[in-house]
Amino acid sequence: MKTLPNYQIRTFGDRRQIPIKQIVISKVQPRKYLSEQGINKLAASIKSSGIQQDLIVRPIGGISMSW
């Protein structure tokens, strides 16, 4: 899949495709650190199987340019 420009959000029914650079890690996210091995394992899994569930994000402070 091609990456989207920083500003472009695509809508598919009730779903949106958001550029990854617009997603910000929440301060209350329990996973603060992933080892290099953990990241590589996750990347390999996504590459071979794809993402099995939708990722759920919400706009920050009602501003739709950051999620």
Side-chain angles (χ1 to χ4, degrees), residues 7 18 25 42 63:
Y7 58 85
I18 301 167
I25 297 173
L42 177 60
I63 300 170

Side-chain angles (χ1 to χ4, degrees), residues 30-64:
R31 295 175 206 92
K32 299 287 183 196
Y33 173 79
L34 287 173
S35 67
E36 186 76 23
Q37 181 182 10
I39 291 285
N40 291 336
K41 189 175 178 180
L42 177 60
S45 172
I46 291 171
K47 187 174 183 178
S48 68
S49 303
I51 296 175
Q52 300 300 311
Q53 295 179 334
D54 293 338
L55 299 176
I56 300 172
V57 296
R58 60 184 170 88
I60 296 175
I63 300 170
S64 62

Side-chain angles (χ1 to χ4, degrees), residues 16-29:
R16 295 179 185 163
Q17 184 178 11
I18 301 167
I20 194 142
K21 290 183 178 184
Q22 289 183 1
I23 299 174
V24 180
I25 297 173
S26 170
K27 294 177 183 175
V28 296
Q29 167 60 260

